[in-house]
Amino acid sequence: MSQTIIFTDLDGTLLDHETYSFEKANEALRAIKSKEIPLVICSSKTRAEIEKIRIKLGNTGPFISENGGGIFIPDGYFGASEPNWEDAGGGCALIRLGAKYDDLRDAIVKLRSTGFYIRGFGDMAADEVAELAGLDLADAELAKLREFDEPFTFYGADKESLRRAIEQLGLHHTMGRYHHILGDSDKGKAVSILAGMYRRKFGDITTVGIGDSPNDVPMLLAVDVPVVVQQPDGKYHPEVEAPGIRHAGGIGPAGWNKAVLEIMSQR
Ligand SMILES: [Mg+2]
């Protein structure tokens, strides 16, 4: 039987939208740990934020930060390091797929000068990010340690002309909990690269991807078993579609729990 690998979004998916708790997924988390099924975090959060959550989860494997901007691989996890891997410190190698953060900040300033009232995390003090995200101040500091992707707020109605203006700068737009401006990276490209490495490690693999928002769609298109969880209002995001997508039948981590237990029982 093939080895299952689970790729998961965090905000609104494994973590509750309001409380950021994964408690409702504990049963499935225990089950995959006992079966040694790798769980790969694939989030728009920063490396620093994800590392903190990995400790809480007891997760020691590779992870993907900032909407596919960086793949972090613990030293030795896939054997010797490869030429395109950078030493990222902290016992990790980095495969860089994302834009340079400074270029994204320049783009935010440019877009604002053309009349889009947008504010990136780089424009906000930590207490403003904390207020916006419902995080404590220490976690807001971690959220501001951006490397490859800039989340921003935009309360204007014309999302389509904002998207076009971003594309004209040679960059891309996606939506998670916030708007994001990013380079040529997305969650799907990062997942495909990591899945290739897992295939070399294990041979036959089956990849599962779980998300809730448009920024998860490239990941859901890149896996064998795509899963969408419900948003806090109990609805599925209308833009989250993929062939053969499974509806988790629960909100955030509760849906995650249900879907993962169901997939495991079927395999
Ligand atoms: Mg999400």
Side-chain angles (χ1 to χ4, degrees):
M1 202 176 86
S2 72
Q3 171 69 48
T4 304
I5 316 283
I6 300 175
F7 294 91
T8 186
D9 172 48
L10 290 178
D11 286 0
T13 301
L14 179 56
L15 305 184
D16 182 90
H17 183 81
E18 294 298 324
T19 65
Y20 296 102
S21 164
F22 54 78
E23 206 189 311
K24 288 182 176 155
N26 273 340
E27 189 187 349
L29 286 167
R30 272 196 300 273
I32 62 173
K33 206 167 273 178
S34 77
K35 292 226 170 353
E36 294 180 19
I37 293 172
L39 175 65
V40 179
I41 292 169
C42 182
S43 172
S44 60
K45 288 183 178 294
T46 62
R47 174 189 184 177
E49 290 179 285
I50 294 171
E51 283 182 330
K52 191 168 171 184
I53 292 159
R54 281 169 81 238
I55 291 169
K56 288 188 192 157
L57 285 166
N59 180 290
T60 55
F63 61 93
I64 296 163
S65 77
E66 298 187 45
N67 279 318
I71 303 173
F72 291 87
I73 301 167
D75 291 340
Y77 190 87
F78 289 117
S81 141
E82 292 180 25
N84 63 329
W85 299 9
E86 299 171 29
D87 180 1
C92 263
L94 162 67
I95 303 175
R96 182 186 296 271
L97 303 172
K100 289 199 184 80
Y101 185 66
D102 286 349
D103 292 345
L104 300 175
R105 289 295 313 155
D106 289 347
I108 292 274
V109 172
K110 225 175 267 174
L111 289 161
R112 202 158 42 216
S113 74
T114 61
F116 294 103
Y117 188 68
I118 59 178
R119 283 173 61 73
F121 277 20
D123 296 304
M124 301 177 195
D127 59 351
E128 194 178 344
V129 172
E131 173 76 30
L132 176 71
L135 294 170
D136 66 31
L137 205 54
D139 285 344
E141 297 280 5
L142 302 182
K144 278 175 56 65
L145 298 174
R146 313 294 309 178
E147 297 176 277
F148 316 107
D149 161 298
E150 176 75 330
F152 64 90
T153 56
F154 172 62
Y155 301 110
D158 197 357
K159 225 166 84 177
E160 208 30 61
S161 63
L162 171 66
R163 191 191 295 270
R164 272 200 306 276
I166 290 172
E167 297 282 336
Q168 273 162 13
L169 295 174
L171 297 167
H172 301 289
H173 170 271
T174 192
M175 285 299 296
R177 189 184 180 102
Y178 312 101
H179 293 266
H180 290 263
I181 184 167
L182 67 174
D184 282 329
S185 53
D186 62 45
K187 290 189 178 191
K189 287 176 185 158
V191 164
S192 297
I193 290 169
L194 262 184
M197 292 179 189
Y198 275 111
R199 206 165 284 123
R200 285 195 290 280
K201 184 182 170 94
F202 289 116
D204 190 19
I205 62 167
T206 299
T207 54
V208 176
I210 314 175
D212 71 321
S213 295
N215 63 334
D216 297 314
V217 170
M219 166 176 76
L220 299 178
L221 292 171
V223 295
D224 301 312
V225 184
V227 180
V228 58
V229 299
Q230 292 166 352
Q231 300 186 299
D233 62 3
K235 296 195 178 99
Y236 296 99
H237 195 294
E239 289 169 42
V240 179
E241 277 298 339
I245 198 161
R246 298 170 70 128
H247 293 93
I251 295 167
W256 200 99
N257 193 61
K258 206 168 156 187
V260 168
L261 291 175
E262 205 172 277
I263 288 164
M264 285 176 67
S265 75
Q266 290 165 351
R267 289 182 53 76

